[in-house]
Amino acid sequence: MILATLTFSGWNWFWPVVGFVALAVAVLAWSYRASSGPGWLRAWCLALKAAGIAALAFCLLEPLWTTQRPRPGANLFAVVADNSQGLQIKDRGETNSRGDGLRALLDPRGQDWQATLAGTFELRRYLFDARLQSTADFHELAFDGRATALATSLRTLKERFQGRPLAGILLLTDGNATDLRGSALPDLTGLPPIYPVVIGRSDPARDLSVQQVNVSQTAFEDAPVSIQADVLATGFREPVVARLIDRAGRTVQEQTLDARKDGETLAFRFQLKPEQKGLSFYEVRVAPRTPPALGAPSDEATLANNSRVLVVNRGQGPYRILYVAGRPNWEFKYLNRAVEADDQVQLVGLIRVAKREPKFDFRGRSGESSNPLFRGFGNQAAEEVQAYDKPVLVRLNTRDELELRSGFPRTPEDLYGFNAVILDDVENEFFAPEQSQLLQKFVSERGGGFLMLGGMETFQEGNYARTPIGDVLPVYLDKPTEQAAPGPLKFELAREGWLQAWARLRDNESEERTRLDSMTEFQVLNRVRGVKPGASVIASVRDEHGAEIPALAVQRFGRGRSAALMVGDVWRWGMKDAAAHADMDKAWRQLMRWLVADVPNRVDLAVEPQPEDANGTVLLQVRARDAKFQALDDAMVNIEVEPVTFGTEAGAPSAPIHLQAEASATEAGLYQASYVPRLTGGFKATAIVTNSVGAEVGRAEAGWSTDLAAEEFRSLTPNVALLESIARKTGGEMVAAADLEKFARSLPQKQAPVMETALNPLWHTPAMLALALGCLLSEWGLRRWKGMP
């Protein structure tokens, strides 16, 4: 508020005026003293006549009323109107939409407030939805914007009027910003006072809105994908149906929940196993169980928020697991059979059938230890002579005849092609020192999975204590203080195991406990001293004395993960009956899935949404690595983006958009490209990486969904709290739509960047003349009324 001050331009008349007033008051006092009449009447008459004379004498000092006011035409003022789809909503009981009401407020034929503002300020008019755009008279208002980029628009205004005299912003919106999350406020630094005008009431028509959809994937075989859709039912007190639709338009699952009160959030949960590997797209659609009559319009506020597209990525595979065993056993037989049922996991076997040991001791010339039949043939160096006595290894399910031909890999290029490694009944001496180091780096640097199975030559019995491989394990391999657990061992899940979907075989606790109670008891266990800090015990066994002993432990190790299964006769589980055999196979498959989960590939593609961008922009990040899984810097990365359609259009081909990813300046091997979707729905991106010579390094796929309309209609109630906070923090105030004319008249009385001094002569105003005449006439009238002379 601007403050006014009183000044005088006739100070040279001050003392004469004071003398005149004093003399006049003295004469009047002497005159009324000699008059007849009551004392109070003479006092009132004296005061009125003295006040009239003083008012006339006051005018001789030429009083001026000095104020500051915005200089006309020197200040700018922005009127910003919301043009998003959210204003298509109709409030309860209204025939017109919120947008119709806003359009009427901005119509100069029925509202004069813009002309009032233009008399003092230079008006700038803008529309905003996903972006800010100028307008001459708001005739472009169509309320079809896909987003309400409130924060972005305010930032654009600040940048556009940087250094210019912007006196304020009149913001007409419902406040439901799509570029803000939760209760966050936009950056208001450097902005002038903002005066929000709330468009809409807090009682919209009834509506169903899919607020959010969460997708979680586990290694649980029966239902590896869990989907939860939170639906806000406004004004509904009836059953609501949610359907999960695939790309062909088929209903995969359907669920019905009752909305019992207004504003209730219904949580629909689906569990499914996609039929295909890789990317799968689905759509969640909600509707009242009783639809409107045929041909009748929907009574919902909007149908744009009744569906959401979601994406599920089950991975392309195959995930290759290297199984190394020191001797043939039943464990590999059952594990291999179980994995054969999973088309995305491939088990490659390297099994030793005979240890490295000489079969004969040839006695001949001094120092000769090889067969004399080969005397004179080839190189007779000592290392070549020893090569005749190698362990006998059998390779199974290899990619070609050269893979693993020399035994366990000795180079990163050979080992890093696998996603996980399993050791079973093989001692530490089987590995050369460089192979042990390589296996440790496979987990810590490459990010692979590692599992050691119990047996006669693993853990402590395999001399893995204080070795690179032993360091990877989640358990200590020091000699345990107790002897091996005697008698039968009862398998049970630990507390952490109950929380891991891949460790359970049933989808509810009661059935899982029943299954555990009926499991075959084991007989073989590798005892360990304890579990390392940071590791988790997933399962344990209980001996005949009731002592609980760790049986399955896991931990993160560097970029990868490791597990230790101390039970040495898991095969015994499947010998009970067919049902137990099926459970054992399922347990193996889920453990293998967990082992290879999140293992990086040579090419990985990640989709990073940009929440601050209201246009749904995503950042596509490609990480490329060479055969040693080192960052690949000199690569060429092309990305193809293809929109995903549903229903009858699912099979229609669509031309992909080609993007060229640029190398990141902050991370080696990272390539990035931005994509702004033009449509609502799902999108599939394929990254193709080639090296410096043009050879393809690898490919990666990723998917995401963009539903700007659903975000726009997430809340149908105006966000008054946000607008009040914006007004308070910028020094503005809330303005009611009905008070716009009053606001326009009061705005020139507020502070502005460019002000001027206004001098109003108080003595030359009718008010001063009226005051003087009023006092004198009142005195005369009072005397006449009481009969005084």
Side-chain angles (χ1 to χ4, degrees):
M1 184 63 67
I2 299 174
L3 298 178
T5 58
L6 183 64
T7 60
F8 301 90
S9 61
W11 279 109
N12 54 327
W13 287 92
F14 179 76
W15 292 112
V17 166
V18 170
F20 171 75
V21 171
L23 179 62
V25 170
V27 172
L28 289 173
W30 178 82
S31 174
Y32 277 106
R33 182 179 181 184
S35 300
S36 61
W40 65 267
L41 179 61
R42 286 180 292 166
W44 271 105
C45 291
L46 174 62
L48 288 173
K49 182 170 287 189
I53 295 173
L56 293 175
F58 181 73
C59 292
L60 294 176
L61 298 177
E62 297 183 9
L64 300 175
W65 196 251
T66 304
T67 60
Q68 293 288 319
R69 67 182 180 188
R71 180 181 298 173
N75 296 285
L76 302 170
F77 192 85
V79 180
V80 183
D82 192 343
N83 189 41
S84 64
Q85 295 179 2
L87 296 188
Q88 297 178 6
I89 296 172
K90 295 181 180 179
D91 289 318
R92 192 167 300 178
E94 295 288 341
T95 57
N96 293 328
S97 67
R98 294 174 179 175
D100 295 333
L102 176 57
R103 189 179 283 113
L105 287 176
L106 297 171
D107 189 352
R109 293 172 296 182
Q111 300 284 340
D112 296 332
W113 60 269
Q114 292 189 64
T116 304
L117 286 175
T120 304
F121 303 94
E122 185 177 344
L123 286 188
R124 293 287 189 269
R125 299 173 177 87
Y126 295 94
L127 309 176
F128 79 98
D129 38 51
R131 61 186 182 90
L132 184 74
Q133 55 182 331
S134 62
T135 178
D137 54 7
F138 297 105
H139 73 277
E140 301 95 341
L141 280 173
F143 308 110
D144 56 356
R146 300 184 304 167
T148 305
L150 178 58
T152 304
S153 299
L154 292 178
R155 183 172 64 250
T156 304
L157 279 174
K158 179 176 67 174
E159 296 171 353
R160 185 169 297 183
F161 290 98
Q162 185 72 33
R164 303 182 66 186
L166 182 63
I169 300 172
L170 186 67
L171 182 63
L172 300 100
T173 178
D174 60 1
N176 291 319
T178 57
D179 57 350
L180 294 173
R181 291 295 178 266
S183 58
L185 287 176
D187 182 12
L188 303 175
T189 306
L191 283 170
I194 298 177
Y195 306 95
V197 179
V198 179
I199 305 299
R201 302 199 311 264
S202 298
D203 55 344
R206 73 176 199 160
D207 184 72
L208 292 175
S209 171
V210 181
Q211 295 289 292
Q212 63 180 357
V213 177
N214 295 320
V215 180
S216 59
Q217 300 179 212
T218 69
F220 193 67
E221 183 175 293
D222 291 340
V225 178
S226 298
I227 301 170
Q228 177 170 323
D230 295 332
V231 178
L232 178 63
T234 303
F236 276 84
R237 290 181 176 86
E238 60 182 273
V240 177
V241 179
R243 296 179 177 87
L244 188 65
I245 312 294
D246 64 10
R247 289 189 62 187
R250 299 186 299 263
T251 299
V252 179
Q253 292 185 26
E254 181 178 311
Q255 189 177 354
T256 302
L257 294 177
D258 290 330
R260 297 183 175 86
K261 60 181 180 180
D262 188 14
E264 182 179 6
T265 299
L266 306 176
F268 294 90
R269 296 180 176 87
F270 305 97
Q271 288 189 335
L272 74 153
K273 183 177 182 181
E275 298 179 355
Q276 63 181 22
K277 60 182 180 181
L279 296 175
S280 299
F281 291 85
Y282 298 91
E283 186 176 27
V284 175
R285 299 176 187 172
V286 296
R289 189 170 66 179
T290 304
L294 185 63
S298 172
D299 60 349
E300 292 190 47
T302 179
L303 296 177
N305 56 0
N306 284 38
S307 63
R308 282 287 187 99
V309 175
L310 59 100
V311 59
V312 175
N313 189 356
R314 293 295 292 159
Q316 288 289 348
Y319 301 102
R320 308 185 74 231
I321 300 176
L322 175 59
Y323 177 94
V324 183
R327 60 185 178 86
N329 57 29
W330 285 10
E331 221 68 272
F332 176 78
K333 172 184 176 182
Y334 287 128
L335 175 56
N336 190 42
R337 287 182 179 178
V339 171
E340 285 178 349
D342 192 335
D343 59 354
Q344 295 198 62
V345 177
Q346 180 185 2
L347 193 66
V348 179
L350 182 63
I351 302 175
R352 182 180 62 190
V353 297
K355 291 185 177 182
R356 174 181 176 178
E357 54 185 0
K359 298 299 181 181
F360 303 98
D361 184 14
F362 297 102
R363 301 186 181 278
R365 298 178 182 177
S366 176
E368 184 179 51
S369 60
S370 60
N371 193 327
L373 294 175
F374 296 97
R375 185 184 304 149
F377 293 91
N379 188 357
Q380 296 295 307
E383 58 271 15
E384 291 297 327
V385 173
Q386 295 174 3
Y388 291 119
D389 299 324
K390 290 183 177 180
V392 180
L393 302 175
V394 175
R395 297 173 295 148
L396 302 172
N397 303 329
T398 56
R399 181 185 289 116
D400 51 45
E401 63 177 8
L402 298 179
E403 187 176 38
L404 303 178
R405 185 173 182 179
S406 300
F408 190 82
R410 293 178 177 271
T411 63
E413 293 86 345
D414 293 335
L415 182 59
Y416 289 3
F418 296 96
N419 298 90
V421 175
I422 301 175
L423 300 187
D424 181 19
D425 258 346
V426 58
E427 71 283 354
N428 179 63
E429 291 73 18
F430 176 81
F431 302 97
E434 64 273 14
Q435 291 175 315
S436 297
Q437 291 286 350
L438 180 61
L439 184 53
Q440 186 187 75
K441 292 181 179 181
F442 169 81
V443 182
S444 62
E445 297 181 4
R446 186 253 189 269
F450 176 73
L451 170 65
M452 180 175 285
L453 303 179
M456 298 173 58
E457 296 181 289
T458 50
F459 296 103
Q460 173 66 32
E461 289 74 11
N463 298 321
Y464 284 99
R466 299 181 181 86
T467 66
I469 298 177
D471 293 341
V472 177
L473 292 172
V475 294
Y476 289 111
L477 299 182
D478 305 24
K479 195 67 175 178
T481 57
E482 302 180 19
Q483 298 298 320
L489 302 168
K490 189 66 176 176
F491 188 86
E492 57 186 33
L493 289 178
R495 181 180 63 178
E496 187 68 23
W498 285 102
L499 302 177
Q500 301 295 329
W502 62 269
R504 305 190 306 267
L505 302 184
R506 302 290 186 269
D507 59 0
N508 61 79
E509 183 177 351
S510 59
E511 292 185 6
E512 183 69 12
R513 291 191 181 278
T514 301
R515 181 193 68 81
L516 290 171
D517 292 339
S518 62
M519 273 188 64
T520 301
E521 295 177 336
F522 299 112
Q523 303 293 331
V524 180
L525 181 73
N526 292 81
R527 293 294 297 266
V528 296
R529 180 170 65 85
V531 178
K532 294 179 180 179
S536 301
V537 177
I538 302 299
S540 59
V541 292
R542 198 174 294 275
D543 64 15
E544 59 184 3
H545 303 294
E548 187 176 348
I549 309 167
L552 176 60
V554 300
Q555 74 169 2
R556 296 293 304 181
F557 188 82
R559 296 180 180 176
R561 57 179 55 173
S562 68
L565 179 58
M566 279 70 77
V567 176
D569 55 346
V570 179
W571 55 267
R572 197 182 300 274
W573 181 7
M575 302 294 286
K576 181 179 180 181
D577 52 37
H581 200 297
D583 283 344
M584 181 187 69
D585 291 347
K586 181 179 177 181
W588 276 127
R589 285 192 294 269
Q590 292 186 176
L591 179 57
M592 296 302 104
R593 278 282 188 166
W594 172 85
L595 198 61
V596 300
D598 303 325
V599 175
N601 299 309
R602 289 189 61 183
V603 177
D604 285 325
L605 173 60
V607 180
E608 296 293 336
Q610 305 298 298
E612 69 280 357
D613 189 286
N615 293 299
T617 301
V618 296
L619 184 63
L620 303 176
Q621 296 184 326
V622 181
R623 286 177 170 82
R625 308 171 181 90
D626 59 16
K628 295 182 179 180
F629 270 71
Q630 300 299 312
L632 190 62
D633 288 329
D634 55 350
M636 182 73 68
V637 179
N638 295 295
I639 303 177
E640 296 180 355
V641 179
E642 179 182 356
V644 176
T645 55
F646 283 81
T648 57
E649 300 179 356
S654 55
I657 298 175
H658 296 271
L659 304 175
Q660 183 73 40
E662 299 293 335
S664 170
T666 58
E667 180 181 341
L670 174 62
Y671 301 83
Q672 301 180 122
S674 295
Y675 177 75
V676 181
R678 303 301 180 190
L679 302 172
T680 292
F683 296 87
K684 175 184 176 182
T686 303
I688 306 170
V689 179
T690 55
N691 58 20
S692 57
V693 297
E696 183 173 316
V697 174
R699 298 184 176 216
E701 290 184 348
W704 77 96
S705 64
T706 300
D707 199 340
L708 298 178
E711 293 293 334
E712 175 67 22
F713 292 102
R714 178 185 293 274
S715 175
L716 305 184
T717 302
N719 194 344
V720 179
L722 172 65
L723 298 179
E724 288 178 343
S725 298
I726 291 175
R728 183 174 61 256
K729 289 184 178 299
T730 58
E733 62 183 52
M734 299 293 292
V735 180
D739 296 336
L740 279 173
E741 181 61 35
K742 179 181 177 181
F743 166 77
R745 291 195 302 268
S746 66
L747 194 61
Q749 302 173 15
K750 300 180 183 297
Q751 194 70 29
V754 181
M755 304 290 289
E756 67 177 9
T757 301
L759 300 176
N760 297 313
L762 190 61
W763 60 273
H764 196 53
T765 59
M768 288 299 298
L769 179 61
L771 175 63
L773 291 178
C775 291
L776 296 175
L777 290 176
S778 296
E779 185 271 344
W780 178 82
L782 187 59
R783 284 191 299 108
R784 296 296 93 192
W785 178 39
K786 295 298 183 180
M788 290 181 64

